[in-house]
Amino acid sequence: MNIQEYISKDCVTFQLQADKKEAALKEMAELLYQAGKVKNLSLYLKAVEERELEYTTGIGGGIAIPHGKSATVPHACIAFGKSETGITWNSLDEKPVYCVFMLAIPEHEDETHLDMLSTLARKLMHQEVQEALLQANDIDTFYQAIE
């Protein structure tokens, strides 16, 4: 799976303003909504928040991968947001999150959901990828980091 195919430029920001998880989830969901990737913001955000209650999506290393499956998502996609100051997230390593990958998945696409999560997690486990993401400040360096 080529993860870049699911990330459009209009769903990437290098200036997340949120400093807490709840606000970051809303900010990222709004990014997807404004880009037309999510048809109903509140329904999608509810799915993401419910998933977050099950188990933290802050995987450590300054990275979180919140995700939600919803009928309001017509096609699988990913938004990326970077915070310069860090976001309190309740991550596995108890450190702030600086890079957020938010997955939006149509309600019944379980296989796509698992493929996206596993592909992204495999990429993000490498220290050099994490460091490149933290240094990325434009779309080209971002795409290079996750290549």
Side-chain angles (χ1 to χ4, degrees):
M1 170 177 280
N2 182 357
I3 211 75
Q4 290 178 341
E5 292 177 8
Y6 293 94
I7 307 172
S8 63
K9 292 178 183 180
D10 54 351
C11 292
V12 175
T13 182
F14 298 97
Q15 299 173 352
L16 277 179
Q17 301 301 306
D19 62 354
K20 296 194 178 359
K21 174 175 61 175
E22 294 76 18
L25 293 175
K26 185 175 182 192
E27 193 174 341
M28 294 294 297
E30 286 177 355
L31 190 65
L32 288 163
Y33 178 73
Q34 293 299 322
K37 307 294 184 181
V38 170
K39 300 301 179 191
N40 184 308
L41 177 61
S42 61
L43 286 177
Y44 173 69
L45 188 55
K46 182 179 178 189
V48 172
E49 289 170 339
E50 287 175 357
R51 169 56 190 86
E52 194 69 34
L53 289 173
E54 292 174 18
Y55 196 72
T56 184
T57 57
I59 63 171
I63 297 171
I65 312 175
H67 49 280
K69 289 194 294 185
S70 173
T72 190
V73 178
H75 304 286
C77 60
I78 302 172
F80 173 79
K82 181 180 164 190
S83 166
E84 291 296 327
T85 58
I87 303 165
T88 303
W89 202 280
N90 189 30
S91 295
L92 294 175
D93 64 1
E94 299 179 7
K95 294 182 180 176
V97 163
Y98 295 92
C99 296
V100 180
F101 288 86
M102 180 176 269
L103 282 59
I105 312 293
E107 193 167 35
H108 299 292
E109 288 192 22
D110 294 335
E111 188 174 325
T112 301
H113 182 203
L114 294 175
D115 286 348
M116 288 173 83
L117 272 175
S118 63
T119 300
L120 196 53
R122 275 193 310 273
K123 286 181 179 292
L124 296 174
M125 69 181 4
H126 300 285
Q127 185 71 31
E128 63 272 11
V129 174
Q130 295 173 16
E131 290 172 5
L133 286 170
L134 290 172
Q135 298 301 315
N137 56 9
D138 62 51
I139 197 72
D140 293 328
T141 56
F142 166 71
Y143 281 145
Q144 289 173 2
I146 63 167
E147 193 169 84

